[in-house]
Amino acid sequence: QVQLVESGGGLVQAGGSLRLSCTASERTFSSYAMGWFRQTPGKEREFVAAISWSGGVTYYADSVKGRFTLSRDNAKNTVYLQMNSLTPEDTAVYYCAATTNGFSWFKTERGQTGAGMDYWGKGTLVTVSS
């Protein structure tokens, strides 16, 4: 089983930045498309961003486009989510997920809900103060 571990969450003021990391336990990490989701109590899980297996293609939710940037280092089995210009609305637990369904899956209605993910991390909390 592939294990995903997120890190980098914390408390930051509005307008600040954080970089989240997601590290996988297996070398085959490079064969997965990766996505980030977030969730707060009382809200449904929300798609944030996705990146292809090669790192050459990315896809962002409208709410984070222009502020968040995904990248990956397959040699380190790690995906990074650089978050800039953070607002209190970005406060959530952020989860990384891996899928063998391909990058385009994240653009489907089901993929946007987090369906079809083969592996999930435990999450890292991001809190943005006003």
Side-chain angles (χ1 to χ4, degrees):
Q1 295 291 319
V2 174
Q3 294 181 347
L4 303 176
V5 180
E6 303 98 333
S7 63
L11 175 64
V12 65
Q13 292 183 329
S17 299
L18 286 173
R19 188 177 76 163
L20 306 184
S21 298
C22 176
T23 300
S25 62
E26 293 192 357
R27 176 182 58 82
T28 53
F29 168 81
S30 62
S31 68
Y32 300 113
M34 299 291 297
W36 284 90
F37 298 82
R38 64 188 182 186
Q39 189 167 27
T40 58
K43 295 183 179 180
E44 295 184 357
R45 182 167 53 203
E46 178 187 14
F47 169 77
V48 176
I51 190 167
S52 63
W53 66 268
S54 67
V57 185
T58 54
Y59 173 57
Y60 301 94
D62 288 341
S63 59
V64 306
K65 190 177 299 182
R67 300 187 298 118
F68 290 11
T69 303
L70 268 184
S71 62
R72 68 190 297 169
D73 185 344
N74 288 340
K76 296 182 178 180
N77 295 340
T78 299
V79 167
Y80 304 98
L81 181 65
Q82 179 66 47
M83 306 186 296
N84 299 325
S85 301
L86 287 164
T87 74
E89 288 71 37
D90 296 315
T91 296
V93 177
Y94 284 71
Y95 300 90
C96 68
T99 181
T100 57
N101 289 321
F103 173 77
S104 62
W105 176 254
F106 290 103
K107 298 183 177 182
T108 69
E109 185 173 346
R110 289 188 63 200
Q112 290 277 300
T113 70
M117 300 297 105
D118 296 292
Y119 304 101
W120 288 92
K122 298 296 184 182
T124 185
L125 176 63
V126 172
T127 302
V128 184
S129 62
S130 61

